[in-house]
């Protein structure tokens, strides 16, 4: 009995720490957005870690501003994806892939315009995700019609049990 109590205390402590880290990251996003202001408005940005030369954009500060504008929503979507327990959370993969594609496009020196032809790359992902979500939704509504359960009860039934980050990541790779 004592062992179960200690184990549940350890799990509660772990959840409290993880929740605190996630809440701190979310609360810090307005401050993270202003990081671009520390980047010089020059073509070449030289730091002790790396040197960045902006060929297409001609301004490292502009590139940092665009990058931060894409990276913060991506970070928030990833947090939402890995902490969501609802049956529809897989649909979040679509905007996550979209933001990842835009960030890679930003640093591609050969590409002159960001966000161009994104739909072509998104169609295969959407072709898998959207029908999957529709089938799950259809299954829920079928069960509503066959059973005497409410939509909330069925949604609760389809919620996934909490997993840690590694277990969720291993489900996909």
């Amino acid at each position: 009995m004592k062992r179960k109590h200690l184990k549940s205390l350890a799990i509660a402590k772990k959840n409290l720490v993880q929740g605190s880290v996630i809440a701190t990251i979310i609360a810090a996003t307005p401050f993270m957005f202003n990081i671009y202001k520390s980047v010089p408005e020059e073509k070449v940005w030289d730091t002790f870690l790396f040197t960045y030369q902006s060929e297409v954009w001609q301004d490292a500060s502009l590139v940092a501003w665009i990058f931060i504008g894409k990276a913060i929503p991506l970070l928030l979507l990833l947090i939402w994806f890995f902490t969501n327990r609802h049956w529809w959370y897989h649909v979040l993969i679509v905007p996550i892939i979209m933001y990842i594609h835009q960030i890679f496009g930003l640093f591609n020196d050969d590409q002159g315009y960001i966000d161009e032809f994104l739909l072509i790359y998104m169609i295969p992902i959407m072709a898998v995700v959207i029908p999957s979500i529709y089938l799950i939704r259809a299954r829920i509504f079928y069960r509503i019609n066959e059973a005497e359960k409410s939509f909330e009860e069925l949604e609760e039934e389809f919620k996934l049990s909490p997993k840690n980050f590694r277990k969720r990541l291993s489900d996909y790779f």
Side-chain angles (χ1 to χ4, degrees):
M1 186 68 155
K2 197 173 189 177
R3 226 175 209 195
K4 280 187 176 181
H5 181 67
L6 289 174
K7 187 174 182 178
S8 66
L9 279 175
I11 291 171
K13 184 177 178 181
K14 180 181 173 185
N15 289 341
L16 181 65
V17 169
Q18 286 177 343
S20 298
V21 168
I22 290 170
T24 303
I25 290 170
I26 292 170
T29 55
F31 301 107
M32 286 188 247
F33 182 74
N34 289 313
I35 290 174
Y36 78 92
K37 292 180 180 177
S38 64
V39 178
E41 294 182 15
E42 300 171 356
K43 185 176 179 177
V44 178
W45 178 28
D46 192 20
T47 68
F48 71 96
L49 295 174
F50 61 88
T51 301
Y52 176 75
Q53 185 168 349
S54 179
E55 294 294 331
V56 174
W57 302 97
Q58 301 295 317
D59 185 353
S61 180
L62 176 63
V63 172
W65 179 71
I66 295 170
F67 173 73
I68 294 295
K70 304 287 184 192
I72 289 176
L74 175 62
L75 174 67
L76 294 173
L77 280 167
L78 287 170
I79 289 172
W80 190 13
F81 180 78
F82 286 112
T83 59
N84 195 345
R85 293 187 206 156
H86 293 285
W87 60 268
W88 50 263
Y89 79 99
H90 286 93
V91 80
L92 295 172
I93 293 172
V94 173
I96 287 171
I97 297 297
M98 181 184 72
Y99 276 111
I100 290 171
H101 178 271
Q102 290 174 354
I103 288 172
F104 280 120
L106 173 66
F107 293 109
N108 184 357
D109 291 334
D110 297 329
Q111 184 175 345
Y113 299 101
I114 194 163
D115 303 340
E116 191 175 289
F117 302 117
L118 180 61
L119 188 60
I120 293 171
Y121 299 108
M122 294 298 296
I123 287 175
I125 296 163
M126 291 167 43
V128 172
V129 171
I130 291 173
S132 300
I133 298 301
Y134 179 77
L135 289 174
I136 292 171
R137 184 180 175 277
R139 186 173 166 195
I140 288 173
F141 281 107
Y142 174 76
R143 285 201 181 173
I144 286 174
N145 292 332
E146 292 295 315
E148 295 299 320
K149 291 184 179 181
S150 69
F151 185 77
E152 289 80 19
E153 291 171 330
L154 285 171
E155 188 176 52
E156 190 68 33
E157 189 177 307
F158 277 100
K159 278 187 180 178
L160 300 172
S161 60
K163 294 181 180 180
N164 64 21
F165 179 76
R166 284 187 184 166
K167 287 181 183 175
R168 269 253 170 120
L169 201 56
S170 69
D171 287 347
Y172 295 101
F173 301 106

